[in-house]
Amino acid sequence: MKNLSRNESRVLRLLVENSRLSISEIAKKLDISRNTVSCILKRLNDDYIERYTVDLKNNGDLYYIVKTDSIDNIDPGDIVEYYELMNGKYIVVLKNLTRINYESIDMAGARHRSGAITGISVYCDYCGSVITGESHTYEHKNRIYYFCCSTCKSQFLKERI
């Protein structure tokens, strides 16, 4: 970044580390007046800062649901599941919120799978029979394979993976 004064650069570095710092906290940390910090923040907001963000801690209790144009820049290990929408966008459920561009974001405190869905049959990806009861799954390259039993799953893995 060009044309930043020494103090502007110092304020910007503090904000990158913690965007929640108040003007008083910044002034105290840098040993400059609150008025000076206020003027610096006005210039930085006008010329350099696009937005303030929050990095969330994930203790395993949250899922992040984002609407995004692409899943290419998302670590596959962070994806719980995703849906490709008819308009070409994606709804993605994430375990960890990574720095991606998204159109919207929501957070969920729990993930539930309903057993009450009727009228939908799920077929084994190995033998083709209808899965009744609990299915066995295998995830590979962002695709989930479903099997009616552990035998079908192991045979599938031997032959194709």
Side-chain angles (χ1 to χ4, degrees), residues 19-34:
S19 63
R20 294 182 59 187
L21 289 173
S22 68
I23 291 174
S24 297
E25 290 170 318
I26 294 169
K28 185 176 181 179
K29 284 180 181 272
L30 299 179
D31 195 28
I32 56 178
S33 74
R34 289 184 3 207

Side-chain angles (χ1 to χ4, degrees), residues 1-2 21 25 30 32-33 39 52 55 59 73-74 80 85 90 139 143 148 161:
M1 296 185 159
K2 57 184 179 178
L21 289 173
E25 290 170 318
L30 299 179
I32 56 178
S33 74
C39 290
Y52 291 87
D55 288 332
N59 58 6
N73 296 328
I74 303 174
V80 174
L85 304 176
Y90 295 85
E139 187 172 347
R143 180 168 179 209
C148 61
I161 306 294

Side-chain angles (χ1 to χ4, degrees), residues 13-159:
R13 268 187 261 130
L14 283 177
L15 289 173
V16 167
E17 290 174 16
N18 182 358
S19 63
R20 294 182 59 187
L21 289 173
S22 68
I23 291 174
S24 297
E25 290 170 318
I26 294 169
K28 185 176 181 179
K29 284 180 181 272
L30 299 179
D31 195 28
I32 56 178
S33 74
R34 289 184 3 207
N35 190 40
T36 300
V37 172
S38 181
C39 290
I40 289 171
L41 284 175
K42 179 171 179 359
R43 177 162 187 246
L44 291 175
N45 284 323
D46 289 346
D47 297 339
Y48 294 99
I49 296 174
E50 185 171 334
R51 65 186 180 129
Y52 291 87
T53 63
V54 175
D55 288 332
L56 298 171
K57 298 177 193 173
N58 189 350
N59 58 6
D61 294 339
L62 290 177
Y63 291 95
Y64 307 98
I65 299 102
V66 298
K67 185 174 185 180
T68 184
D69 290 330
S70 171
I71 60 169
D72 295 337
N73 296 328
I74 303 174
D75 180 355
D78 288 336
I79 297 175
V80 174
E81 61 187 315
Y82 70 94
Y83 302 90
E84 186 172 357
L85 304 176
M86 298 302 286
N87 63 6
K89 296 184 184 218
Y90 295 85
I91 298 291
V92 186
V93 179
L94 299 166
K95 289 186 280 190
N96 296 304
L97 186 61
T98 56
R99 293 184 185 267
I100 60 168
N101 291 328
Y102 52 82
E103 186 176 309
S104 66
I105 181 171
D106 278 304
M107 291 180 283
R111 183 172 175 237
H112 304 281
R113 293 182 186 224
S114 174
I117 298 174
T118 59
I120 297 174
S121 296
V122 179
Y123 295 90
C124 177
D125 283 316
Y126 182 73
C127 72
S129 62
V130 175
I131 298 174
T132 57
E134 188 173 333
S135 65
H136 299 261
T137 61
Y138 174 73
E139 187 172 347
H140 182 68
K141 294 185 179 177
N142 289 330
R143 180 168 179 209
I144 299 174
Y145 296 89
Y146 294 89
F147 307 99
C148 61
C149 61
S150 59
T151 303
C152 283
K153 180 180 177 179
S154 62
Q155 289 298 323
F156 177 86
L157 294 174
K158 282 181 190 176
E159 293 177 15

